[in-house]
Amino acid sequence: MNSKLNFELNSKGGWLVPEKTTLPEGTTVPDNSVIGNDCKIGNDCKIGNDCKIGNGCKIGSYCKIGSYCEFGNGCKIGNGCKIGNDCEFGYGLRTGNNLTLEGVKVIKMMQIQNVDGSNRQVNIIKHEEGMLIRAGCFIGTPEEFCAKAEAEGKATYVAVVSAICRAL
């Protein structure tokens, strides 16, 4: 993430809340996470280890953010969001009702990682007109993804992605 985050450590090694950033009671941020200037973080949020939250971000109440997540400057996350580990969201991300990814309106979405030990991420998106798979440079239907994976000898991907698509 290219944002410059401004924070200071206090004498006990913990971090100080940056300028114009609000951090209400009940919200926890570990000492090894960084929050940028002018952020607004809601009530009772739990932010994981080694997170970086860019300047001017707004995170709603009751959110849970996993460890090692990065949010670019100006991100907005609604109330009650749950975000897993190792996520990275670019500048100006906005999530909430009517989420659109890869040009389709998301009904449900699931992300899997490290299916074959390669640490690759695969996004499986159910949308109004069907299903969409995003994996690295690949974007297409589950059938196209499975055909490509099968041609490359990746039977585990075929089995796992097919099962998830049926479940969604």
Side-chain angles (χ1 to χ4, degrees), residues 15-158:
W15 64 278
L16 299 173
V17 177
E19 182 180 339
K20 296 183 182 177
T21 291
T22 58
L23 191 64
E25 285 188 41
T27 290
T28 59
V29 180
D31 288 344
N32 54 344
S33 287
V34 179
I35 298 193
N37 291 319
D38 202 20
C39 290
K40 292 179 180 33
I41 299 176
N43 296 318
D44 296 311
C45 290
K46 308 288 184 238
I47 296 175
N49 293 315
D50 295 310
C51 288
K52 294 181 179 102
I53 298 175
N55 297 316
C57 290
K58 293 179 183 172
I59 298 175
S61 295
Y62 312 107
C63 292
K64 293 181 181 175
I65 298 173
S67 297
Y68 312 105
C69 291
E70 294 189 22
F71 296 87
N73 293 335
C75 288
K76 295 180 182 175
I77 313 274
N79 293 332
C81 289
K82 294 178 182 162
I83 299 170
N85 296 332
D86 295 314
C87 294
E88 186 173 333
F89 299 98
Y91 167 81
L93 169 76
R94 293 179 188 184
T95 64
N97 292 337
N98 302 316
L99 173 64
T100 300
L101 288 174
E102 303 296 346
V104 297
K105 184 177 174 188
V106 177
I107 295 171
K108 289 184 180 179
M109 181 176 139
M110 182 173 189
Q111 183 181 73
I112 58 175
Q113 183 174 333
N114 209 27
V115 171
D116 65 351
S118 66
N119 207 28
R120 266 189 214 133
Q121 291 182 346
V122 178
N123 294 305
I124 303 166
I125 302 166
K126 180 178 181 179
H127 58 93
E128 294 172 320
E129 298 173 20
M131 301 285 288
L132 183 70
I133 306 293
R134 169 73 154 163
C137 296
F138 176 87
I139 187 165
T141 67
E143 295 78 16
E144 292 167 335
F145 178 83
C146 289
K148 182 173 176 150
E150 191 170 322
E152 294 174 3
K154 297 178 179 177
T156 304
Y157 271 113
V158 174

